[in-house]
């Protein structure tokens, strides 16, 4: 009897091979690896078999080798770590695209001072032709300068200048650019954004906030079309070297020149285009997206809709419960009127189109949660998988967290902007946390940040939890969990073979990790072995 029980325990403790019912002989097998599946039923296996674009089996070396034929390509991983392809769930195509008439600065919130910016533009003016666009990055030093329009007009009166806040929520333009964009001093603020006006003259200072930037973004992407294509291709190459096989782009211009740019860029990743509508005649403008091809290429599809409901703490436009330090009368602001926000939420409740919202202020988040509760039932909201981008839960109340959990809202966390977030607490309440990089382009930096928060170490998650958030949870966050996100039979063979074992190395070594082999749909699209 004891021998039988011992035999039974041994049988139960041996991890079973997972094989799809349609498995035959593999096109590719990968053996002798440390393969992290992101499937909590069996997180690690030794080997994997691929047929066509999909995984047909995972298991031990011996089990997988049985699926090989004389024609099977065999890859010996030699102990290397394999993970599902990372899914960049928040990026912006062609933003600040490369241009001969652009200067580049390091990301800081204060940004370069005004003199440095004007010096950079003066150097560009030595070769820029009249009528051409001049672009570059700025921070608060220039964004807040009420004399910037006058200075730009003096330096380059015949050129169109648009200088972008490095985090995207603010820009400045000169008078020539304003004319080209159809903006005049007497114009009212556009829906979702605003202009800054001189207190004495009433004229615009050249500063554009939130949706007031829309015309400039669209026009520059058209003018610098080749630059956008180059930017997309270069970004894709970089991401593949880091094991990023899927990207979810918030795109403001895909129905226009953007669709052609994506086609010509010939990207090898899986691309989701998320409509990012602007405004027209004082109203939201969805018309450019209504007749767009939802599957313009085998690897590209269009779904969802994204809105920016407030700004960020950098320029103090995120709406908070508490006033901003040093300004007891300023709490931030909402981008849209309350009735417009209700329309956005009501449309999401009544449709199958996933809603993604940039929400940074804790007050903005509370207002939205209360509206959602008033509009409909929790069980309906849970099917919608509403996404709150950037994770503003650090100062959330227990009531807010409860509503997030009840309505199944996905908290799309942006590590570079949140260094003390309650990640572990959110996960413990069953809330889905996804990773929303917003331009990091190195998943290992994001993994390091959320596993090594110094300010709030009790909320750190494990490396395994971080990778699951970046792969399986990000697939869930785009309704693609049945196709990708885990390395299991029936799923697409999207994976990355890593240069080092991210599960055992010191966390400060994570950012230098690379993919030595990246695969999308069973095809090797990056190989540096």
């Amino acid at each position: 009897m004891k021998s039988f029980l011992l035999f039974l325990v041994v049988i139960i403790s041996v991890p079973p091979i997972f094989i799809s019912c349609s498995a035959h002989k593999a096109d590719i097998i990968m053996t002798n690896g440390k393969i992290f599946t992101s499937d909590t039923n069996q997180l690690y296996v030794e080997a994997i078999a691929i047929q066509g674009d999909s995984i047909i089996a995972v298991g031990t070396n011996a089990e997988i080798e049985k699926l090989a034929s004389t024609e099977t390509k065999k890859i010996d991983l030699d102990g290397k770590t394999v993970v599902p392809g990372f899914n960049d769930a928040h990026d912006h195509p062609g933003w600040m695209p490369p241009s001969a008439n652009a200067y580049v600065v390091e990301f800081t919130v204060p940004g370069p001072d005004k003199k440095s910016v004007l010096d950079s533009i003066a150097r560009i003016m030595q070769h820029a032709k009249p009528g051409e666009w001049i672009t570059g990055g700025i921070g608060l030093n220039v964004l807040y300068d009420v004399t910037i329009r006058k200075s730009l007009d003096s330096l380059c009166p015949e050129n169109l200048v648009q200088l972008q806040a490095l985090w995207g929520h603010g820009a400045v333009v000169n008078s020539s650019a304003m004319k080209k964009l159809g903006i005049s001093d007497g114009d009212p603020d556009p829906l979702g954004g605003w202009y800054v006006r001189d207190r004495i003259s009433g004229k615009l200072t050249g500063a554009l906030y939130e949706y007031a930037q829309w015309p400039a973004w669209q026009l520059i992407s058209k003018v610098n079309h080749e630059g956008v294509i180059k930017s997309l291709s270069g970004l894709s190459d970089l991401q593949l070297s880091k094991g990023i096989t899927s990207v979810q782009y918030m795109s403001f211009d895909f129905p226009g020149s953007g669709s052609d740019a994506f086609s010509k860029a010939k990207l090898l990743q899986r691309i989701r285009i998320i409509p990012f509508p602007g405004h027209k005649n004082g109203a939201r403008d969805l018309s450019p997206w209504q007749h767009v091809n939802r599957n313009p290429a085998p690897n590209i599809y269009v779904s969802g809709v994204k809105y920016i409901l407030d700004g960020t703490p950098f320029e103090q436009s995120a709406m908070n419960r508490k006033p901003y330090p040093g300004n007891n009368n300023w709490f931030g602001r909402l981008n849209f009127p309350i009735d417009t926000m209700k329309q956005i939420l009501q449309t999401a409740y009544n449709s199958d189109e996933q809603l993604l919202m940039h929400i940074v202020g804790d007050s903005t988040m509370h207002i939205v949660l209360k509206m959602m509760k008033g509009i409909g039932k929790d069980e309906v909201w849970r099917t919608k998988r509403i996404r709150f981008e950037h994770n503003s839960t650090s100062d959330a109340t227990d009531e807010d967290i409860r509503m997030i959990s009840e309505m199944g809202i996905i908290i799309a966390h942006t590590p570079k902007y949140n260094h003390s977030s309650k990640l572990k607490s959110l996960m413990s309440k069953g809330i889905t946390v996804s990773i929303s990089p917003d331009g990091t382009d190195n998943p290992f930096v994001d993994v390091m940040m959320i596993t090594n928060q110094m300010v709030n170490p009790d909320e750190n998650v494990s490396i395994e939890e971080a990778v699951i958030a970046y792969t399986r949870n990000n697939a869930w966050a785009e309704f693609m969990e049945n196709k990708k996100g885990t390395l299991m039979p029936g799923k697409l063979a999207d994976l990355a073979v890593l240069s080092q074992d991210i599960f055992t190395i010191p966390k400060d070594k994570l950012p230098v990790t690379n993919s030595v082999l990246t695969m999308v749909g069973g095809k090797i699209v990056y190989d540096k072995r």
Side-chain angles (χ1 to χ4, degrees), residues 338-520:
I338 290 294
D339 62 342
T340 302
M341 292 171 60
K342 285 182 179 178
Q343 291 170 9
I344 291 170
L345 292 169
Q346 187 71 61
T347 299
Y349 188 80
N350 294 333
S351 74
D352 294 326
E353 205 70 86
Q354 185 185 29
L355 174 62
L356 300 83
M357 291 175 283
H358 166 109
I359 296 175
V360 173
D362 58 347
S363 183
T364 305
M365 182 179 66
H366 181 74
I367 291 169
V368 170
L369 289 169
K370 283 292 191 180
M371 283 185 183
M372 291 175 67
K373 281 285 188 179
I375 285 171
K377 299 177 180 179
D378 292 346
E379 56 265 32
V380 175
W381 281 121
R382 284 195 291 270
T383 68
K384 307 300 179 182
R385 301 186 194 178
I386 304 299
R387 281 171 51 172
F388 285 8
E389 299 294 312
H390 303 309
N391 188 3
S392 57
T393 60
S394 295
D395 297 318
T397 64
D398 290 342
E399 180 190 17
D400 291 339
I401 298 299
R402 174 182 57 77
M403 288 190 287
I404 289 170
S405 178
E406 290 172 346
M407 290 186 284
I409 293 166
I410 297 168
I411 297 299
H413 178 71
T414 305
K416 68 180 180 182
Y417 294 141
N418 297 277
H419 301 156
S420 61
S421 295
K422 302 174 183 177
L423 298 175
K424 207 164 194 66
S425 295
L426 293 173
M427 291 180 180
S428 71
K429 292 177 171 60
I431 295 169
T432 298
V433 175
S434 74
I435 304 300
S436 188
D438 198 12
T440 303
D441 301 323
N442 184 342
F444 308 104
V445 170
D446 292 326
V447 169
M448 179 187 69
M449 287 181 176
I450 66 177
T451 60
N452 196 32
Q453 295 183 129
M454 305 303 290
V455 178
N456 201 0
D458 291 341
E459 291 291 345
N460 288 335
V461 299
S462 68
I463 299 289
E464 286 84 356
E465 289 171 321
V467 173
I468 288 171
Y470 222 127
T471 55
R472 189 189 70 185
N473 290 5
N474 277 2
W476 172 267
E478 62 167 322
F479 287 87
M480 284 289 176
E481 71 277 7
N482 292 328
K483 293 186 176 181
K484 60 184 179 180
T486 58
L487 299 180
M488 297 301 289
K491 299 295 182 67
L492 291 165
D494 298 355
L495 56 83
V497 181
L498 305 183
S499 60
Q500 54 183 345
D501 184 358
I502 62 173
F503 300 104
T504 59
I505 61 172
K507 291 184 175 65
D508 62 351
K509 304 296 183 185
L510 284 166
V512 298
T513 308
N514 291 303
S515 174
V516 298
L517 184 149
T518 304
M519 185 177 288
V520 177

Side-chain angles (χ1 to χ4, degrees), residues 109-157:
V109 175
D113 59 30
K114 182 179 179 180
K115 182 180 183 305
S116 297
V117 168
L118 295 178
D119 286 346
S120 296
I121 294 174
R123 287 192 291 271
I124 292 174
M125 287 295 295
Q126 294 175 6
H127 61 78
K129 298 176 182 178
E132 288 184 331
W133 281 94
I134 295 174
T135 61
I138 57 171
L140 297 180
N141 285 329
V142 174
L143 188 62
Y144 284 170
D145 192 316
V146 296
T147 66
I148 187 62
R149 174 185 169 188
K150 182 178 180 181
S151 298
L152 294 174
D153 288 349
S154 176
L155 182 61
C156 36

